[in-house]
Amino acid sequence: MPNQDGSLTGSDKVTLVHMLNRIIPADSPNLGAGTLGILGSVQERAGAEKSTQSHFLRIVDALSLDMMAQAVGGFAALTPDEQIASLQIVANTLPTEFKTVLGLARDVYYEDERTPNRPKNFENENEIFGKIELEEITAEKSPPRRRRRNLRSK
């Protein structure tokens, strides 16, 4: 859990490094978002506005309160599949906050010169959280269905 002043504890930082590696999959472990050390930039960008700072801290809180993670010694002690399951619970519980943090993390990651070019969409096989977001966006942009009127004369 973050400190009272909003700064991250050492445990929070370790958790967020692992989270970044899970929400932005990379072909090489050396190119993982958390491994590249972008956490500071994500945190700085989140702090630029009160709403994004609030979303970021709510995600940190949710991850530090995860019961499964607490049972085994923290988020970092979970297996990769368990980490993903935990993140999916957080994403379902706090969808707006999670999308904000995911968007910030992607922006910072793909702006880094060490990373590949940003994909046009996030539908790769190893992309878990991007697929969820794209499906929701597609559903929002679909045109409304019109009902057929019965034009028969009576």
Side-chain angles (χ1 to χ4, degrees):
M1 237 177 183
N3 295 312
Q4 295 256 340
D5 64 358
S7 63
L8 300 178
T9 65
S11 175
D12 293 331
K13 291 176 184 176
V14 170
T15 296
L16 290 171
V17 165
H18 285 276
M19 178 198 77
L20 290 170
N21 283 335
R22 297 291 163 250
I23 64 174
I24 303 176
D27 293 334
S28 166
N30 297 335
L31 291 177
T35 307
L36 287 175
I38 68 166
L39 175 58
S41 298
V42 171
Q43 185 180 6
E44 183 180 318
R45 196 163 297 179
E49 294 180 26
K50 284 189 177 191
S51 63
T52 55
Q53 176 72 9
S54 172
H55 289 186
F56 181 78
L57 291 175
R58 289 196 68 195
I59 295 299
V60 175
D61 280 342
L63 289 172
S64 50
L65 295 172
D66 182 84
M67 297 304 282
M68 182 170 51
Q70 288 182 0
V72 297
F75 188 82
L78 297 172
T79 66
D81 287 340
E82 290 170 334
Q83 288 176 353
I84 290 168
S86 177
L87 288 167
Q88 287 174 321
I89 291 168
V90 171
N92 290 333
T93 306
L94 302 168
T96 303
E97 292 85 346
F98 192 83
K99 284 181 189 179
T100 299
V101 173
L102 177 61
L104 288 171
R106 283 181 174 162
D107 288 346
V108 171
Y109 180 76
Y110 289 110
E111 288 169 6
D112 191 297
E113 62 188 28
R114 299 170 290 177
T115 60
N117 292 332
R118 185 183 187 109
K120 291 181 181 176
N121 60 48
F122 294 97
E123 293 182 338
N124 299 332
E125 286 179 16
N126 59 353
E127 191 70 56
I128 296 168
F129 300 101
K131 287 182 181 176
I132 294 169
E133 184 176 346
L134 283 176
E135 289 170 3
E136 290 172 358
I137 290 170
T138 303
E140 290 172 7
K141 289 186 177 180
S142 62
R145 293 184 181 179
R146 295 183 182 173
R147 288 191 215 167
R148 291 186 181 187
R149 286 192 251 166
N150 188 355
L151 298 175
R152 290 186 224 169
S153 58
K154 292 184 180 182

